Amino acid sequence: EAGVAQSPRYKIIEKRQSVAFWCNPISGHATLYWYQQILGQGPKLLIQFQNNGVVDDSQLPKDRFSAERLKGVDSTLKIQPAKLEDSAVYLCASSLGGRQAVQYFGAGTRLSVL
Amino acid sequence: AQKITQTQPGMFVQEKEAVTLDCTYDTSDQSYGLFWYKQPSSGEMIFLIYQGSYDEQNATEGRYSLNFQKARKSANLVISASQLGDSAMYFCAMRPLDQGAQKLVFGQGTRLTINP
């Protein structure tokens, strides 16, 4: 069974530029998550989707970050404009949902903002 | 609010020895799940083991076991017979089980190094 796919693996941009990350979850997983992991810290949830709908985006900086999940499968996370403090690894995860569902993570996209 | 504390920034262990990684948590939820993930230098978070707050027995998965002490609010990971490939960051995480949102709250992590 294929795991969570993310691209690109690495991205370097200058501040004030825009960037987009893509995620394809495990087949059949209804729930999709985007986490931000700053160097030296544990991941922090940015947004959770259940199928097409947003369940939790309370920690998403909505003035610059946006995310969508078209047709309840793939998802895109966008940053516009990027700031230096956005340098981090962006991890996508998916799960079947439900009370005890495990979240499975992709390899992440490492973003450097110069 | 939930909080995970991992007090060991780094651990160094000889190959084939057992190692315990500490994790304490704080939550007001009655029903919650505790998770351990491994993050090698490649960056992917790999799920290792899960313990539910109502599970009476400690969880085990191969060489991994979870020492769950509910009264002490601790959920330590035990790795038996450590191998060189166990060198990685290890994260303890938790989430409530009775809510719609399933946000995982992570600790700061422990970097484990296995010496030959």
Side-chain angles (χ1 to χ4, degrees):
Chain A
E1 179 182 87
V4 177
Q6 289 189 247
S7 68
R9 287 299 314 276
Y10 306 93
K11 191 73 177 179
I12 301 173
I13 62 173
E14 296 188 350
K15 60 183 179 183
R16 291 188 288 273
Q17 286 187 326
S18 62
V19 64
F21 313 126
W22 173 83
C23 172
N24 181 249
I26 293 172
S27 177
H29 281 193
T31 311
L32 184 147
Y33 316 78
W34 283 101
Y35 287 84
Q36 179 193 57
Q37 186 178 19
I38 293 173
L39 186 65
Q41 299 180 17
K44 181 186 77 172
L45 180 74
L46 291 175
I47 189 167
Q48 176 189 341
F49 291 95
Q50 179 72 23
N51 296 310
N52 290 344
V54 175
V55 175
D56 184 356
D57 64 355
S58 58
Q59 297 188 87
L60 186 74
K62 298 180 184 64
D63 58 333
R64 298 184 301 106
F65 286 64
S66 64
E68 60 181 6
R69 189 179 185 195
L70 300 175
K71 301 180 181 178
V73 182
D74 293 6
S75 178
T76 303
L77 177 70
K78 296 180 181 177
I79 308 175
Q80 181 179 5
K83 292 185 175 181
L84 297 177
E85 59 260 35
D86 298 332
S87 294
V89 176
Y90 291 85
L91 293 161
C92 180
S94 71
S95 75
L96 286 170
R99 201 165 181 266
Q100 297 180 15
V102 174
Q103 296 180 25
Y104 295 94
F105 285 78
T109 297
R110 185 177 298 275
L111 174 67
S112 296
V113 182
L114 307 179
Chain B
Q2 301 169 320
K3 185 177 180 181
I4 294 283
T5 302
Q6 294 180 253
T7 57
Q8 305 154 312
M11 290 275 287
F12 295 85
V13 174
Q14 286 298 118
E15 189 180 8
K16 299 180 185 176
E17 288 183 350
V19 57
T20 298
L21 304 182
D22 295 340
C23 172
T24 57
Y25 61 90
D26 191 20
T27 181
S28 57
D29 296 296
Q30 293 299 310
S31 178
Y32 50 90
L34 295 154
F35 303 78
W36 277 92
Y37 285 85
K38 172 184 179 181
Q39 188 175 42
S41 56
S42 59
E44 184 176 358
M45 298 284 283
I46 301 168
F47 166 71
L48 296 178
I49 196 166
Y50 163 82
Q51 177 85 41
S53 59
Y54 284 112
D55 293 339
E56 294 186 354
Q57 300 225 346
N58 286 343
T60 61
E61 288 285 350
R63 294 187 300 112
Y64 305 107
S65 60
L66 201 153
N67 184 0
F68 180 47
Q69 298 187 47
K70 194 171 182 177
R72 293 188 173 188
K73 295 190 173 181
S74 74
N76 298 340
L77 176 70
V78 180
I79 307 174
S80 63
S82 59
Q83 302 171 355
L84 296 178
D86 293 334
S87 294
M89 283 292 291
Y90 288 79
F91 289 94
C92 180
M94 74 178 299
R95 68 171 178 85
L97 297 182
D98 292 331
Q99 299 176 13
Q102 297 166 355
K103 175 177 69 176
L104 275 174
V105 174
F106 285 84
Q108 295 285 85
T110 295
R111 181 172 296 281
L112 177 63
T113 302
I114 308 298
N115 296 316

